[in-house]
Amino acid sequence: MSSYTLYGTFLSMPCVKAGLMLDLCGLPYDYKHVNLRAGESKTPDFLKLNKWGQVPVLVADGTPMTQSGAILLELAAKTGKYDGANLEEKRQVREWLFWEADLFYPGIAATRAQRLFYNGPADVIAFFKGRGERALGMLNEALTGKEYLVGAKPTVADIACYVTAAYAGDAELSLEAYPAIQAWMKRMAALSGMKTPQEALPKPAA
């Protein structure tokens, strides 16, 4: 049995981030699917793992960790992989992770959810889609002339943003106008241990 157990669902972008980080770090883990529609994240047993009733939860040697950004930073610090090379780079990595959670992720994930799962009204979809377009423009500008967001090597900032960018199509956002993002995504896809985000986590049996 692995010392890591990831609780999540394959449809969740934050869960995909945690799963890919484990794969990229070469850390074997057990996986437990959480059926959100059936309320499995709100059961008393699950709430002992995460008081907010959310996925992902990564249990490491019996200790649960929550929030994908925090999980990525914890694994980077523990393994020494996909972290900033110095204190200044570590600061920039945190900034990018918080930016991704504040602007980029909502712009893509909320648009995707409203389109695919909730049949949201057009004005709501347009609002979130606008945030996604703004974030893509900022990301493309940041990557222009650079291979990765921080420093010379990929970090958890790249991993988090890569997963979000991979779902832009579900939000009806094309990447054609963002050549720097496209080139960066090819580099990320070529990393050893990387999987397609949409195929990163096991799907439950029908």
Side-chain angles (χ1 to χ4, degrees):
M1 184 175 180
S2 170
S3 62
Y4 292 96
T5 301
L6 178 62
Y7 293 78
T9 174
F10 72 98
L11 291 171
S12 165
M13 293 156 61
C15 294
V16 169
K17 294 171 190 175
L20 281 179
M21 180 62 175
L22 289 162
D23 288 332
L24 289 167
C25 290
L27 298 173
Y29 65 95
D30 298 314
Y31 179 73
K32 295 187 181 295
H33 175 71
V34 180
N35 189 330
L36 302 182
R37 293 189 178 222
E40 290 181 0
S41 65
K42 308 301 182 185
T43 63
D45 284 344
F46 190 86
L47 291 173
K48 292 177 183 176
L49 298 175
N50 184 349
K51 57 183 175 291
W52 296 304
Q54 297 173 317
V55 291
V57 173
L58 180 64
V59 178
D61 295 318
T63 301
M65 296 183 286
T66 66
Q67 299 298 313
S68 61
I71 291 171
L72 295 184
L73 288 171
E74 178 74 15
L75 292 176
K78 183 175 289 188
T79 64
K81 298 179 180 180
Y82 300 99
D83 202 357
N86 51 52
L87 288 176
E88 174 58 22
E89 287 191 6
K90 292 177 191 294
R91 180 187 64 78
Q92 293 181 40
V93 166
R94 291 195 302 270
E95 288 180 350
W96 275 110
L97 280 178
F98 297 151
W99 173 86
E100 190 271 343
D102 177 60
L103 182 65
F104 193 28
Y105 175 79
I108 302 298
T111 308
R112 172 179 178 249
Q114 291 292 328
R115 284 192 61 250
L116 300 182
F117 308 126
Y118 302 130
N119 193 28
D123 57 340
V124 172
I125 292 176
F127 170 78
F128 286 114
K129 190 173 182 180
R131 295 189 73 184
E133 290 172 338
R134 179 181 170 221
L136 285 168
M138 296 167 72
L139 183 63
N140 191 75
E141 181 179 359
L143 286 166
T144 299
K146 296 173 59 178
E147 291 196 349
Y148 301 105
L149 286 170
V150 179
K153 296 181 179 180
T155 67
V156 290
D158 295 283
I159 293 170
C161 290
Y162 171 73
V163 171
T164 296
Y167 288 88
D170 285 353
E172 289 190 332
L173 288 167
S174 172
L175 298 180
E176 290 185 6
Y178 308 105
I181 292 178
Q182 292 183 65
W184 164 76
M185 291 188 73
K186 289 179 180 178
R187 287 191 289 275
M188 292 298 293
L191 294 177
S192 177
M194 180 62 82
K195 297 178 181 177
T196 303
Q198 289 83 352
E199 300 296 328
L201 297 179
K203 296 176 177 61

